[in-house]
Amino acid sequence: MKVELSLNFDSVDLVALRRRRSEKWTRHPADVLPAFVAELDFAPAHEIGEVLVDAIANGDLGYANPSGSRLAEAFAGFAERRWDWRVDPEAVVAVPDVMVGVAELLRLLTKPGAGVVITTPVYPPFFSVIAEVGRRVIEVPLLDGDRRERLPVQQIEAAFAEGAEALLLCNPHNPTGYVAGREELLALGEIVDRHDGVVLSDEIHAPLTLEAASHVPFCALPAAAAEAAITLTSATKAWNLAGLKCGLAVARSPRMREALRSLPVDLHDRVGHLGVLASVAAFTRAEPWLDELRAYLAETRRWFPGLLAERLPGVVFHPGQATYLAWLDCRALGLGADPAAHFLTKGRVALAPGSDFGTLGRGFVRLNLGTTRSLIEEAVGRMASALA
Ligand SMILES: Cc1ncc(COP(=O)(O)O)c(C=O)c1O
């Protein structure tokens, strides 16, 4: 489906961005171009802006009522239209954000000290959340033998055979943009079921799957494979609402529905009210905006390798099929384990250091492509100047 762009994703204004007060725009001095956080620089969808402005004008800033706001129904409608995934709204709970959901579910579904498998390199808070709840990280590297990441299904099986209790899956994958295939997910579901484990499937980037790939929600797999799975997701990456604090945990099997019912009773009070309102607007009214964003990002992904080849020929990049993140292999540049430190000091551009994503990330950086092509050119230009 070809999406005609009516919104101007090219019209971001750096002076206005520098007035933002989120971490991205305030962590570094003003001469640094920030490209480290997974955040969009674009203006919000107007359907979301309207709802938020109206709530503020009306002093509607109290506690959230996710069920009264029909958050679960809004997500279920979106999931069915996008992925043909029939979600029972009764099997959805609101959580303050995806990582809080992960923490609480690990506490509930695994024993203290239990091994939790993650496929690395991966989103850095996967390491810290497992430590925070007193569980143990079992790192299993993504396979890229044929220069395409794949899930290390056999190694995951071996980890469960040695006693791991949970798999914390990142699909689509941050930082590589890898979208797991149905067969891989089915195999994982069987493994986890056979070893009596659980799958927490973080699908926060799923709405940002590009057209060439299809996202398969873990809980949409046949019942046996999804028996031990809970999907965690939110509108916050795709529609850029991270500061508003609203995520969702979705179950399928009776056992996992029961787990969701056993989450701490006050959890839904800790969800952000504006986050709920904005997420409902996103899921019900802002799909056209999402499709225009995906079309813009797809074009950026087609254009970006040429820019790299011209300005940073030593850097290796394999375009993924989702997210707005670029995982850049800088090992040939001779900058050591932490090229991000060099690019920051010499180029005044802040990238996410690859080693934060696990030891396999040494020598890599993650660049955020969720911005205009002119700001991406600026970031890459600063990286190139750091090498001069
Ligand atoms: C894979 C993944 N999970 C979770 C998050 C954070 O989500 P939340 O703010 O809802 O905890 C991010 C943010 O970039 C992410 O990339």
Side-chain angles (χ1 to χ4, degrees), residues 38 96-100 123 125-126 170 172-174 202 204-205 233-234 236-237 242 245-247 325 366:
D97 61 34
V98 162
M99 295 318 290
V100 167
Y123 179 57
F126 275 29
C170 188
H173 185 256
N174 172 0
D202 175 342
I204 197 169
H205 290 279
T233 189
S234 76
T236 59
K237 279 298 117 181
K245 294 291 160 199
C246 176
L325 304 166
R366 193 193 70 182

Side-chain angles (χ1 to χ4, degrees), residues 25 37 255:
W25 294 99
V37 185
R255 182 158 67 103

Side-chain angles (χ1 to χ4, degrees), residues 9-315:
F9 285 102
D10 269 328
S11 72
V12 151
D13 168 1
L14 187 55
V15 176
L17 285 175
R18 289 210 183 274
R19 288 207 316 275
R20 289 187 180 180
R21 285 156 296 177
S22 63
E23 185 189 2
K24 173 171 181 179
W25 294 99
T26 49
R27 190 197 284 180
H28 294 286
D31 66 323
V32 170
L33 183 67
F36 60 106
V37 185
E39 223 173 271
L40 295 170
D41 287 348
F42 309 117
H46 74 265
E47 295 85 351
I48 295 176
E50 254 172 32
V51 163
L52 293 175
V53 167
D54 182 61
I56 291 166
N58 192 28
D60 185 8
L61 299 171
Y63 290 109
N65 181 2
S67 56
S69 303
R70 301 188 66 75
L71 175 65
E73 288 78 1
F75 176 71
F78 176 75
E80 181 157 13
R81 289 189 299 277
R82 277 281 124 169
W83 304 302
D84 215 6
W85 176 22
R86 296 248 167 118
V87 171
D88 175 1
E90 295 288 316
V92 178
V93 300
V95 290
D97 61 34
V98 162
M99 295 318 290
V100 167
V102 169
E104 293 300 337
L105 287 164
L106 284 177
R107 271 193 247 273
L108 190 69
L109 295 168
T110 64
K111 294 190 283 296
V116 179
V117 179
I118 56 177
T119 55
T120 58
V122 79
Y123 179 57
F126 275 29
F127 292 89
S128 47
V129 76
I130 294 170
E132 177 190 327
V133 299
R135 273 54 173 174
R136 195 165 35 85
V137 169
I138 303 180
E139 249 189 275
V140 181
L142 274 182
L143 303 175
D144 69 347
D146 53 5
R147 304 181 70 208
R148 255 192 55 151
E149 289 76 14
R150 276 172 297 128
L151 290 176
V153 174
Q154 282 167 7
Q155 287 94 318
I156 293 174
E157 165 119 61
F160 275 95
E162 282 167 27
E165 291 186 18
L167 167 65
L168 175 52
L169 187 66
C170 188
N171 180 39
H173 185 256
N174 172 0
T176 63
Y178 179 63
V179 177
R182 188 180 167 80
E183 296 308 314
E184 290 174 297
L185 296 174
L186 277 172
L188 287 183
E190 278 165 26
I191 290 166
V192 171
D193 194 37
R194 202 171 329 125
H195 292 278
D196 219 9
V198 292
V199 183
L200 300 182
S201 181
D202 175 342
E203 297 173 20
I204 197 169
H205 290 279
L208 293 165
T209 305
L210 304 181
E211 257 181 39
S214 350
H215 170 69
V216 179
F218 213 105
C219 289
L221 292 173
E227 165 64 27
I230 291 178
T231 290
L232 290 127
T233 189
S234 76
T236 59
K237 279 298 117 181
W239 286 275
N240 207 37
L241 311 168
L244 297 183
K245 294 291 160 199
C246 176
L248 298 145
V250 187
R252 158 104 182 255
S253 66
R255 182 158 67 103
M256 290 298 129
R257 287 166 180 243
E258 184 52 37
L260 293 186
R261 279 194 288 274
S262 311
L263 282 168
V265 287
D266 293 335
L267 205 59
H268 67 267
D269 278 342
R270 299 177 195 146
V271 176
H273 177 48
L274 293 182
V276 172
L277 300 181
S279 302
V280 171
F283 292 135
T284 56
R285 296 169 50 207
E287 264 182 275
W289 185 91
L290 175 66
D291 286 333
E292 296 209 10
L293 171 70
R294 288 167 60 247
Y296 186 86
L297 295 174
E299 185 52 38
T300 297
R301 282 202 180 266
R302 281 189 287 275
W303 157 89
F304 182 64
L307 175 72
L308 272 188
E310 191 189 314
R311 304 299 314 271
L312 291 169
V315 171

